[in-house]
DNA sequence: TTGAAAGCGCTAACAC
DNA sequence: GTGTTAGCGCTTTCAA
């Protein structure tokens, strides 16, 4: 008789029957327990293979009380940050044989609550709440006792666990890199002053310049928008002012690109007369442009992985873990590689 | 007595007990069945609310035979295509109260097989296999009878269901748009000739030019790479040749950007003397550049949504569904909006 | 070493 | 209307 094709999957009972043993024995055999005769085990394994047996994770989870799965709540998935974070999460959990349940809220608190509920019904072992801006957010509601870790956007409650990017440290790294290249007159072209990421990166830049014994006037710390046009305009202004400038820390890669385009169009040679570094290390801009440029990689994958590991390793400890990035040096600060 | 906090979640039995009814009645009440007295229902609902009851989806799924969940297998999640596709999938399924199980294979067939197995054990209702290049791929192995739809990279087997981007149609749309703007001497600057996406978009461009009664020589259909530099170089070559040119269909947004930069640097006015259109409508390039440009949006979210709906609506019909995009017109073809 | 049986939490069929 | 019961597929005692 051919295998039963009416039901979608063979059950353990089917396997046991085919192998001529009881379900209990079949279970032990498949789970590699030692109290099964070798010959029996082999018979069971063969039967399972022939029937294409897939142990029902629902039944297992129901019994075990845990599901080897975590829920991930994101604001968006096509922005700049969430995709890489989720990749890091998935990598970390995949190694743990855990599954990722993904949801997208578009910032809607109602939807967030809905997904939290849905994840709880599915008995996920934990929940990651991934933000898309580096600003703190109120803790999610309706959380029961499911463990939660906030990622990128920290929770405003000190009782919660969060993993975020350390923008102050990143700013320091950027400035340090320029100073190491011998630059002495460094400007910071930041994003909007009301955004904490823009301010933090600026603060780090400033701190590091001062730490190197160089001076920095308020005129060298500028705020604008996250756009190319701002980088372009700002460089125009600085050059027109006649003030000395040999290094630019740009608040993000878009600003950096605008700055570089302007420098080149004004005939300023890069990196000799002026070096430029951005943030985020977005490959489409920093790497794939006609003029590749240096950038501080915020290591979003590592941030995601770290959050996932914190979530799945006992109860997450309250507090914020800030993750620094690292500098990826390219033409705009170190010139073309020697051949 | 305070509610039991030792176990993680209240069960239906707890709720029934608290409401002074049997589990059967509690179940009916919570599921809105009509054969329950109103007063009883309200008592049950109140008890459920007080105990923060979350019906165990594992138990439900075990009984029902379906889990309201689908597995999504992607190659990557930080590339150009997968994120938007997954967003479309999630939106479509969320409306259906279904969950998305996400996995990333990095193109490793072993990992793909592993995730398929894992999804089958979790009894997902279907699987979406999302590619990251528009080339066909061999069907996945070990699939049992779980329904599958391939997305973006179609399956090479005609028995499978696939939803892909229609690059030929997209090429036609791009050329049509330039022709509508009165352009008569159109070039195509494509990606690598060995890639079907590059060829398809070129073919569509060519077809539409001919359909409009214009001529197109092989010299006007050029292939290179997907990079800005190629757009920059190609435009240089065309201008140097002195051949007439007033429209450029660029194989992707990076090429378009390079082409635009070169045209501007050579003093060619856009869009009057030459109009430019790209593909993919990648906001960081097409929209956020200093010079925004037109692009054919491949509607990846719609593709993902369509695939999800096909998957969850009965058995997917074999064959390939090709999804055309639409033109997003910006400065590079229609100039600045009148004020 | 193996088998029988209880039970995870829920729904649906059948009594009352 | 409401209660009782039989499983869904699995793991885990406890006997044999």
């Amino acid at each position: 008789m051919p295998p039963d094709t009416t039901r979608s999957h063979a059950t353990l009972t089917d396997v046991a029957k085919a192998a001529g043993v009881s379900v209990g024995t079949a279970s032990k055999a498949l789970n590699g327990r030692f109290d099964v005769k070798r010959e029996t085990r082999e018979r069971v394994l063969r039967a399972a293979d022939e029937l294409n047996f897939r142990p029902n994770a629902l039944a297992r989870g129901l019994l075990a009380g845990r599901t080897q799965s975590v829920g991930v709540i994101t604001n968006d998935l096509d922005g700049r940050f969430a995709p890489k974070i989720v990749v890091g999460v998935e990598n970390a959990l995949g190694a743990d044989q855990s599954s990722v349940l993904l949801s997208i809220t578009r910032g809607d608190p109602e939807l967030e609550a809905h997904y939290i509920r849905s994840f709880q019904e599915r008995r996920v072992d934990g929940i990651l709440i991934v933000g898309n801006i580096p600003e703190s957010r109120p803790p999610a509601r309706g959380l029961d006792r499911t463990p939660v870790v906030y990622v990128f956007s920290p929770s405003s409650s000190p009782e919660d666990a969060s993993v975020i990017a350390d923008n102050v440290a990143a700013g320091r790294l950027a400035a340090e890199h320029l100073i190491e290249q011998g630059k002495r007159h460094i400007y910071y072209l930041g994003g909007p002053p009301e955004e904490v990421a823009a301010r933090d990166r600026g603060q780090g830049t400033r701190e590091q310049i001062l730490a190197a014994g160089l001076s920095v006037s308020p005129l060298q710390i500028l705020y604008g928008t996250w756009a190319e046009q701002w980088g372009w305009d700002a460089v125009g202004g600085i050059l027109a002012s006649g003030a000395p400038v040999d290094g630019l820390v740009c608040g993000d890669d878009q600003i950096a690109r605008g700055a570089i385009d302007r420098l080149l169009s004004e005939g300023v040679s890069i990196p000799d007369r002026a070096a430029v570094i951005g943030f985020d290390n977005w490959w489409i801009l920093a790497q794939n442009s006609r003029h590749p440029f240096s950038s501080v990689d915020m290591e979003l994958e590592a941030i995601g992985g770290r959050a996932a590991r914190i979530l799945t390793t006992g109860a997450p400890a309250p507090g914020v873990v800030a993750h620094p990035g690292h500098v990826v040096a390219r033409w705009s600060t170190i010139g073309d590689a020697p051949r």
Side-chain angles (χ1 to χ4, degrees), chain A:
Chain A
M1 198 174 75
D4 176 12
T5 55
T6 58
R7 242 205 347 266
S8 47
H9 284 277
T11 72
L12 187 59
T13 310
D14 298 333
V15 174
K17 212 169 290 173
V21 298
S22 73
V23 279
T25 304
S27 171
K28 287 173 205 155
L30 285 167
N31 290 314
R33 305 281 285 273
F34 289 114
D35 48 356
V36 182
K37 214 204 304 188
R38 220 180 61 140
E39 197 227 333
T40 313
R41 189 202 336 279
E42 280 165 8
R43 205 144 29 91
V44 172
L45 290 180
R46 207 172 322 118
D49 195 49
E50 271 163 17
L51 293 175
N52 216 339
F53 174 66
R54 296 278 177 278
N56 188 323
L58 301 179
R60 254 194 193 158
L62 188 55
L63 213 48
R66 56 195 324 277
T67 53
Q68 305 281 69
S69 66
V70 317
V72 175
I73 295 180
T74 65
N75 274 278
D76 63 65
L77 203 63
D78 49 354
R80 269 172 295 182
F81 310 117
K84 285 199 165 260
I85 292 172
V86 173
V87 167
V89 168
E90 208 278 341
N91 285 354
L93 292 174
D96 195 28
Q97 305 284 346
S98 279
S99 280
V100 173
L101 284 162
L102 181 78
S103 67
I104 305 172
T105 65
R106 278 167 243 92
D108 179 351
E110 299 291 325
L111 260 181
E112 181 174 290
H114 162 80
Y115 281 119
I116 285 175
R117 195 180 180 104
S118 163
F119 287 161
Q120 287 175 341
E121 294 184 355
R122 290 177 143 77
R123 296 298 189 268
V124 296
D125 300 330
I127 295 180
L128 289 172
I129 299 184
V130 181
N132 62 351
I133 48 169
E135 311 268 347
S136 78
R137 48 151 292 159
R141 290 161 321 172
L143 268 175
D144 271 19
R145 51 195 70 260
T146 314
V148 173
V149 175
Y150 294 81
V151 193
F152 205 67
S153 300
S155 165
S156 56
S157 160
E159 323 233 313
D160 293 325
S162 308
V163 180
I164 64 170
D166 190 336
N167 282 311
V168 177
R172 281 197 293 261
L173 289 173
E176 180 185 39
H177 178 65
L178 292 187
I179 293 166
E180 280 172 3
Q181 310 307 313
K183 303 307 180 186
R184 292 294 172 267
H185 305 283
I186 297 173
Y187 278 69
Y188 172 72
L189 309 182
E194 62 273 16
E195 295 198 21
V196 68
R199 292 199 307 273
D200 281 355
R201 289 169 176 180
Q203 183 194 328
T205 301
R206 193 165 169 283
E207 284 176 10
Q208 191 63 34
I209 294 174
L210 293 175
L214 303 173
S215 70
V216 52
S217 86
L219 292 175
Q220 286 168 259
I221 307 291
L222 306 172
Y223 291 92
T225 70
W226 296 118
E228 287 186 25
Q229 188 66 47
W230 157 238
W232 174 274
D233 291 342
V235 166
I238 294 168
L239 292 179
S241 78
V245 54
D246 58 9
L248 294 171
V249 174
C250 296
D252 79 348
D253 288 339
Q254 298 187 76
I255 298 171
R257 169 134 203 195
I260 287 171
D261 283 353
R262 184 59 178 267
L263 287 170
L264 291 175
S265 97
E266 301 280 348
V268 176
S269 108
I270 299 174
D272 314 328
R273 269 202 46 208
V276 180
I277 186 168
F279 290 88
D280 296 339
N281 192 28
W282 210 359
W283 67 270
I284 180 64
L285 291 178
Q287 188 173 55
N288 265 38
S289 292
R290 274 197 313 122
H291 307 289
F293 54 85
S294 303
S295 191
V296 182
D297 190 313
M298 302 308 294
E299 297 177 8
L300 297 175
E301 288 195 26
I303 288 176
R306 206 157 157 184
R309 252 168 276 117
I310 288 175
L311 186 68
T312 55
T313 313
V320 175
V321 174
H323 192 98
H326 70 274
V327 169
V328 176
R330 299 198 182 87
W331 165 83
S332 70
T333 58
I334 58 172
D336 286 320
R339 339 185 148 223

